[in-house]
Amino acid sequence: MYKITLLFVALFILSSCSTSLSKKEVEKYTIQGKEIAQATAKKLGGTLVEKMKDGGVKEAVPFCNTKAIPLTEEMAKKFNVSIKRTSHLLRNENNKANDKEALVINNYRDLLTKGKGLKPVVELDNDGNPHFYAPIILQKKCLACHGEVGINVTKKSDSIIESYYPKDLATGFKEGDLRGIWSITFKSAVE
Ligand code: HEC
């Protein structure tokens, strides 16, 4: 009897903590994650372009400084998820990567140096919530604020950036470099 009880306890523990997502779920969260990342990038980018047109880096950097995180939060609420943009080379320390995000970033950097394509990653996090990660690749339009100082980022722009972010590490990127990652948590735990 004792052995049987033990067996049931073991089975119960095994079945109650599901540690992986089905293929279908992975597909679903990959599609949703991509949509959310794209919509957020569009929201941030669209407003940024307007500010750049209005007054260049001088206007756009203070805008990013006060609005990048609140705008991201706004999109997170809309989609009922949490959204983070993080990087190995940070501008804003509030965007610091956790251990898992740092691993994902390192893996993407490794793949990129080997000339391999980068794909989104979907898996369950420690709380049992589905989590979406995807690379953020540096584009031409990002160079004015994240490119090489003295080449893409003017000395003047750099000093504006430094005045808001004295510990800035997010310059020196080239087109096609890994700028960072999207890290999106879906709140609905898997049944
Ligand atoms: C006008 C200057 C400007 C441009 C152009 C710009 N950024 Fe940024 N970026 C910033 C600033 C300022 C921050 C810090 C925002 C904050 O305080 O949250 C930032 C933060 C980020 C972060 C968050 C991680 C971190 O380092 O804090 C990522 C990722 C990022 N930018 C990617 C991009 C990409 C990709 C592009 C092009 C599509 C781009 N940026 C274009 C100024 C810019």
Side-chain angles (χ1 to χ4, degrees):
M1 187 63 201
Y2 175 72
K3 271 191 185 159
I4 294 175
T5 315
L6 211 63
L7 183 71
F8 273 110
V9 169
L11 279 176
F12 177 75
I13 292 171
L14 277 175
S15 61
S16 61
C17 53
S18 95
T19 50
S20 62
L21 290 161
S22 70
K23 211 176 150 216
K24 251 204 169 140
E25 285 166 330
V26 170
E27 274 168 18
K28 178 179 116 188
Y29 291 115
T30 304
I31 294 170
Q32 284 182 12
K34 276 186 188 168
E35 273 170 14
I36 296 168
Q38 267 166 20
T40 310
K42 209 171 153 199
K43 178 98 183 171
L44 289 171
T47 345
L48 188 66
V49 168
E50 275 171 35
K51 292 286 157 193
M52 286 288 267
K53 271 193 197 141
D54 286 352
V57 170
K58 199 164 153 267
E59 290 265 326
V61 168
F63 161 79
C64 289
N65 180 247
T66 53
K67 289 282 185 293
I69 293 180
L71 277 178
T72 308
E73 289 301 319
E74 200 183 291
M75 296 304 276
K77 262 209 184 115
K78 187 176 162 190
F79 290 103
N80 193 31
V81 293
S82 70
I83 308 175
K84 185 172 165 191
R85 289 187 314 159
T86 184
S87 176
H88 48 304
L89 295 166
L90 284 176
R91 178 148 294 168
N92 185 339
E93 286 178 316
N94 293 332
N95 296 323
K96 197 173 184 314
N98 60 30
D99 289 350
K100 175 67 205 184
E101 288 161 345
L103 271 177
V104 174
I105 292 171
N106 277 343
N107 192 32
Y108 280 146
R109 292 177 68 201
D110 198 35
L111 288 170
L112 210 58
T113 51
K114 288 179 185 148
K116 298 207 173 131
L118 308 185
K119 287 194 199 117
V121 174
V122 170
E123 55 188 39
L124 285 182
D125 63 19
N126 290 340
D127 300 323
N129 290 321
H131 203 115
F132 169 93
Y133 303 93
I136 300 176
I137 300 294
L138 199 98
Q139 303 164 37
K140 204 170 179 185
K141 62 183 176 193
C142 322
L143 287 173
C145 298
H146 294 298
E148 285 180 72
V149 179
I151 301 175
N152 320 108
V153 182
T154 63
K155 288 262 158 44
K156 196 163 166 230
S157 297
D158 189 46
S159 68
I160 296 168
I161 294 168
E162 289 280 318
S163 72
Y164 286 91
Y165 306 94
K167 293 184 186 159
D168 181 41
L169 295 174
T171 55
F173 289 93
K174 294 191 181 67
E175 225 182 314
D177 279 352
L178 184 77
R179 169 64 184 93
I181 57 165
W182 292 102
S183 174
I184 299 176
T185 320
F186 292 89
K187 286 176 188 159
S188 54
V190 183
E191 301 93 274

